[in-house]
Amino acid sequence: MVSPKLLSLGLLLVCIALAFVCFVSLQAEAAIKQYQFDIQGKNVSRLCHEKPIVTVNGMFPGPTIYAREGDRVLVNVTNHAQYNMSIHWHGLKQYRNGWADGPAYITQCPIKTGNSYVYDFNVTGQRGTLWWHAHILWLRATVYGAIVILPKQGTPFPFPKPDREEVILFGEWWNADVEEIEKQGNNFGLPPNMSDAHTINGKPGPLFACSEKYTFAMEVEQGKTYLLRLINSALNDELFFAIASHNMTVVEIDAVYTKPFSTQSLLIAPGQTTNVLVRANQVPGRYVMATRTFIDVPIPIDNKTATAILQYKGIPNTVIPTFPHLPAPNDSSFALTYENKLRSLNSLQFPANVPLKVDRNLFYTIGLGKNSCPTCVNGTRLTASLNNISFVMPQVGLLQAHYFNTKGVFTTDFPDKPPTPFNYTGAPLTANLGTSRGTRLTRIPFNSTVELVLQDTNLLIVESHPFHLHGYNFFVLGTGIGNFNPAKDPAKYNLVDPPERNTVGVPTGGWTAIRFRADNPGVWFFHCHLELHTGWGLKTAFVVEDGAAPDQKILPPPNDLPPC
């Protein structure tokens, strides 16, 4: 018979062994990923032009960050460039940790030349494709890269496992200095010159001059399946994308799994990501991957097509590639149909937890207009506003001002609805309806549910707008053309499996309704992701108050927070 002492000792040893196994398992699953980002200038050639650009580690696009759900990520950013710098980790929720979110003068002051800052954040409850980019001036024209978050160890994708993955970043290229182009536009009161080319992984492709070396090519093998992680890093253009003769199966948007559906073309707005499966099931050859702008209003845009090559293994480069059929540049019907196909997976493992009760209803009108400017070319300056307020950037980080209760930096009187209702999408008014300027924010109690309807207007011209909310995902409940009808349109909302995103398009002359739970305390930027419109003032921010519990309050700022 075993003595009680020996039995107790045996049980103790078993418990210690189990604890050790659990500890090792947790250590293996949750790692610390460290990266060094050196912001530095480099001469780069495209379209027969060489110019200095700002890069990360001399790369264009910048390096991909790889992490696994549950990891902690440390990115030490050292600024060797002539410009102040900040980096935004687009789509990462940064729970209680706005100090790592990155938008200049919102959650931090920028990193000055010669200084460093460590972005320290956890990847919690997210997996999929996101991206990072500069969040100051127009520097994200060249300072951007992918974030790939793998599922936890042992957790498979909810779709067939691909044989290989490929990151594909869409961008824009200017032959001249982007910052000088923006300054010139601001001085003239006009839009800056449009880009000279679109790019795929930094390369415009063979439709442009001097592009022999500047065409991205992806080799595939017959019968294998590939996961393409698509990211629209362009500053100002919504883009169509297609691959000649190959269907794509959409399985994820903005790092949220979707109900899979097949499509020949897709639409992706600046800031958005889309994961697709592509099966190499065609006659071995060379097939063009192409992207070009979607624009359904008569304004000047970069309408040139960027191309890359999907090439079957063993096929020589001399074979003439097949070109895909892209939707017409103004095909708004395709755009709306495509967006309506997007649905959250809403499975047992990946539910769509749509808030059904609303605590706060917000209605924001999106306006483009003109203000008087005697020194500008036409005596006016183009401006943009939400609820007739053009946002003024502060000189102190808003999160710092909120956390330390600094007075005079911002007010929390942003209106819940426009001050002057009108026929928003009727005949152009060519007026501003008394547009004001200010650093006005919206204060939201912790854990309250917010419904926000974004309404495009025809003050000057209607246009589509991709809006990005920092610190959160939200559910896209519905969208429509014309004026939002509060008596009828909510009855059409999808409250079962709406797409969950961090960036959503508001259609030209239409509206989009989103909903989210304000469970992440801090100050969170909300803005159009067309860099042109953001610079004109199409932005605001939400102050989400602390909750009652200690784990519902903003974390203290890091010691190396950049000074203002």
Side-chain angles (χ1 to χ4, degrees), residues 385-462:
S385 63
L386 286 170
N387 281 355
N388 291 355
I389 299 167
S390 189
F391 190 82
V392 175
M393 293 295 286
Q395 296 303 305
V396 175
L398 294 178
L399 179 60
Q400 292 167 266
H402 169 60
Y403 185 84
F404 293 109
N405 199 26
T406 306
K407 305 299 182 184
V409 178
F410 65 88
T411 61
T412 54
D413 60 348
F414 191 91
D416 286 6
K417 57 185 179 180
T420 307
F422 62 99
N423 181 7
Y424 304 115
T425 55
L429 297 181
T430 62
N432 287 340
L433 297 179
T435 298
S436 63
R437 301 178 75 247
T439 311
R440 301 170 65 181
L441 280 56
T442 298
R443 186 178 294 277
I444 302 174
F446 180 82
N447 211 38
S448 57
T449 299
V450 178
E451 180 174 311
L452 169 58
V453 175
L454 292 159
Q455 173 72 62
D456 189 29
T457 69
N458 204 8
L459 285 176
L460 184 63
I461 188 172
V462 289

Side-chain angles (χ1 to χ4, degrees), residues 91-101 120-126 446-447 470-472 517-522 524 544-555:
L92 280 164
K93 295 179 183 177
Q94 307 287 11
Y95 184 67
R96 302 169 55 214
N97 187 30
W99 312 109
D101 191 44
D120 182 350
F121 52 88
N122 295 316
V123 180
T124 305
Q126 293 182 274
F446 180 82
N447 211 38
H470 291 226
Y472 289 92
R517 184 175 298 282
D519 57 1
N520 189 5
W524 303 106
V544 179
E545 297 172 339
D546 282 346
D551 64 350
Q552 297 172 347
K553 300 180 186 298
I554 302 169
L555 294 169

Side-chain angles (χ1 to χ4, degrees), residues 170-441:
F170 306 126
E172 290 179 88
W173 172 265
W174 281 260
N175 287 329
D177 184 289
V178 177
E179 294 307 316
E180 290 303 316
I181 289 172
E182 186 206 6
K183 286 179 189 175
Q184 185 182 62
N186 288 337
N187 291 337
F188 290 165
L190 299 171
N193 291 342
M194 69 189 75
S195 54
D196 295 291
H198 291 110
T199 59
I200 297 177
N201 286 348
K203 300 174 180 180
L207 298 183
F208 293 87
C210 299
S211 290
E212 294 83 2
K213 296 187 298 182
Y214 305 121
T215 299
F216 172 71
M218 174 182 170
E219 186 179 81
V220 298
E221 294 184 49
Q222 179 73 33
K224 290 191 174 182
T225 300
Y226 297 84
L227 178 68
L228 305 186
R229 298 179 179 270
L230 309 174
I231 302 167
N232 188 348
S233 316
L235 267 70
N236 294 310
D237 292 332
E238 296 182 81
L239 297 169
F240 291 122
F241 176 72
I243 306 173
S245 304
H246 291 73
N247 285 342
M248 299 174 286
T249 302
V250 177
V251 293
E252 179 198 300
I253 53 172
D254 291 3
V256 178
Y257 296 133
T258 62
K259 288 183 169 65
F261 67 92
S262 180
T263 185
Q264 291 183 328
S265 303
L266 59 82
L267 177 65
I268 184 167
Q272 292 181 337
T273 68
T274 302
N275 281 9
V276 298
L277 293 174
V278 177
R279 187 162 178 79
N281 57 2
Q282 298 301 303
V283 175
R286 301 175 76 227
Y287 297 88
V288 171
M289 301 187 282
T291 183
R292 75 175 174 209
T293 303
F294 162 61
I295 186 73
D296 53 357
V297 289
I299 59 174
I301 50 101
D302 178 358
N303 62 359
K304 295 177 282 294
T305 302
T307 55
I309 303 296
L310 185 140
Q311 186 160 335
Y312 281 69
K313 188 175 182 179
I315 299 299
N317 293 341
T318 53
V319 173
I320 297 174
T322 305
F323 205 86
H325 173 74
L326 286 164
N330 64 348
D331 195 342
S332 53
S333 175
F334 173 89
L336 289 170
T337 301
Y338 174 80
E339 296 289 344
N340 287 333
K341 291 179 182 178
L342 298 171
R343 294 283 186 272
S344 289
L345 187 59
N346 195 23
S347 66
L348 192 63
Q349 188 175 8
F350 304 106
N353 297 315
V354 185
L356 300 180
K357 175 179 171 291
V358 177
D359 301 309
R360 184 82 168 271
N361 283 283
L362 305 176
F363 184 82
Y364 289 179
T365 52
I366 304 164
L368 300 178
K370 295 178 180 180
N371 283 343
S372 175
C373 175
T375 62
C376 295
V377 171
N378 298 319
T380 57
R381 180 187 300 280
L382 290 167
T383 186
S385 63
L386 286 170
N387 281 355
N388 291 355
I389 299 167
S390 189
F391 190 82
V392 175
M393 293 295 286
Q395 296 303 305
V396 175
L398 294 178
L399 179 60
Q400 292 167 266
H402 169 60
Y403 185 84
F404 293 109
N405 199 26
T406 306
K407 305 299 182 184
V409 178
F410 65 88
T411 61
T412 54
D413 60 348
F414 191 91
D416 286 6
K417 57 185 179 180
T420 307
F422 62 99
N423 181 7
Y424 304 115
T425 55
L429 297 181
T430 62
N432 287 340
L433 297 179
T435 298
S436 63
R437 301 178 75 247
T439 311
R440 301 170 65 181
L441 280 56

